[in-house]
Amino acid sequence: MTAAERQPVDIAFGDISRLEEVVDREALRDVCRSFFDLFGLSIRIYSSDRTLLAAEHELSSIYEYDDQFPLGRRAVAKTVEAVAGLDPKEGAARHTCFTGAVYDVVPLTYQGRRVGRVVVGPYLPAELKEVPRGLTKIDPAVDRNEIRDRLAKMPRVRRETGERILAHLKRVVDLLLFSSHRSHLTSEMHVASVRESYRELAEKTANLQTAYDRLKELDKLKSNFLATVSHELRTPLTSIIGYSEMLESGIAGDMNEE
């Protein structure tokens, strides 16, 4: 076995960079679904590389209406792009779109590493009373009453309530990450233990094979030695026996005392 093969197994404890490395996506979907059912707020969970891992949301009717107008489609696309690029380093960040609705974004960290982020929204701040001017400037054909009716269907949340919901959601995901990571480490340790046992067994097997091959070699040497000794003894003994039988039969004449 080489020196590299004898090196101990290395486990990178806690060294994760993406949320999906340890947390099952279905578990994240269950979290999003439960919060959506409780508060009616759209929730998305992203990995550190901006991959969408789980989401529970419904398209707000105000965006469906705005999407009918060219400027509205561009504004919606710009909002989506802005929220996707919003990645706060620490603490929560907020983006307010042209509809007056807000998106709250909070980073997910684990053992000092950024592993993902949570996006909650859109929802209207409870303090917002008037239709935002940005909505009425999308197109001259915009119906102000239609906008007001569609905005009324969007959930309204007080800022303090939104912060509490976001903090609670983050704690739930953190707990899920912690428990999943511990299970992941336990599994990794078990795999490492099995690998180490296999390595030791393979090393013992190799040693036994070496000893077996050595014994076979010694047995062959013994057989060769006995064959050589037998040959060396049989050759002179054959001559002696032949001469003895010749003398005994009297072919060489009568034997005297000498």
Side-chain angles (χ1 to χ4, degrees):
M1 183 172 292
T2 64
E5 291 173 329
R6 294 192 185 95
Q7 291 179 355
V9 178
D10 179 28
I11 304 178
F13 290 101
D15 188 17
I16 61 173
S17 58
R18 296 187 302 171
L19 187 62
E20 66 270 30
E21 290 179 2
V22 291
V23 180
D24 181 66
R25 290 194 180 194
E26 188 58 39
L28 293 176
R29 294 189 190 101
D30 290 340
V31 171
C32 292
R33 193 175 301 116
S34 64
F35 270 79
F36 181 80
D37 292 341
L38 281 173
F39 305 108
L41 298 177
S42 296
I43 297 175
R44 300 170 181 83
I45 299 178
Y46 292 88
S47 179
S48 56
D49 60 359
R50 297 187 180 182
T51 300
L52 180 62
L53 301 179
E56 192 69 27
H57 63 92
E58 60 182 10
L59 182 62
S60 177
S61 62
I62 187 63
Y63 290 113
E64 291 179 335
Y65 182 73
D66 294 334
D67 200 50
Q68 300 176 23
F69 308 99
L71 287 178
R73 283 195 296 273
R74 286 198 290 270
V76 171
K78 186 176 180 180
T79 297
V80 172
E81 183 180 357
V83 174
L86 192 61
D87 197 5
K89 300 303 178 184
E90 57 182 32
R94 170 169 286 193
H95 174 77
T96 303
C97 76
F98 68 102
T99 64
V102 297
Y103 295 81
D104 290 326
V105 183
V106 63
L108 298 173
T109 59
Y110 189 71
Q111 295 184 348
R113 284 181 175 268
R114 295 287 304 284
V115 295
R117 61 197 174 102
V118 175
V119 178
V120 177
Y123 65 87
L124 289 176
E127 299 79 11
L128 184 65
K129 304 299 182 183
E130 299 294 330
V131 175
R133 295 181 59 186
L135 278 173
T136 59
K137 293 182 178 180
I138 289 177
D139 194 277
V142 167
D143 186 337
R144 191 179 183 88
N145 292 327
E146 181 71 18
I147 287 179
R148 184 178 291 105
D149 292 341
R150 289 177 180 262
L151 280 177
K153 297 177 182 179
M154 185 176 289
R156 287 179 175 267
V157 180
R158 293 184 179 277
R159 187 180 186 93
E160 312 82 57
T161 304
E163 290 174 351
R164 287 199 298 270
I165 292 174
L166 195 62
H168 183 55
L169 175 60
K170 183 178 183 301
R171 284 196 296 270
V172 171
V173 176
D174 285 343
L175 180 60
L176 181 62
L177 175 58
F178 177 82
S179 59
S180 298
H181 190 213
R182 287 297 176 266
S183 299
H184 175 73
L185 288 180
T186 301
S187 176
E188 287 294 316
M189 291 177 65
H190 176 69
V191 171
S193 176
V194 171
R195 286 177 178 172
E196 181 63 16
S197 298
Y198 176 79
R199 185 195 65 79
E200 292 178 355
L201 181 60
E203 187 174 358
K204 290 179 180 179
T205 301
N207 292 336
L208 287 173
Q209 184 64 45
T210 300
Y212 174 72
D213 292 341
R214 179 60 179 164
L215 288 175
K216 285 182 64 177
E217 183 180 358
L218 292 175
D219 184 67
K220 184 177 180 181
L221 289 174
K222 180 201 69 173
S223 300
N224 291 340
F225 173 75
L226 291 177
T228 301
V229 170
S230 175
H231 175 74
E232 295 298 328
L233 289 176
R234 283 176 180 274
T235 300
L237 284 175
T238 300
S239 299
I240 293 172
I241 291 173
Y243 282 117
S244 299
E245 291 177 347
M246 184 181 65
L247 291 174
E248 183 182 16
S249 62
I251 294 177
D254 297 335
M255 291 186 292
N256 52 29
E257 290 297 329
E258 184 179 356

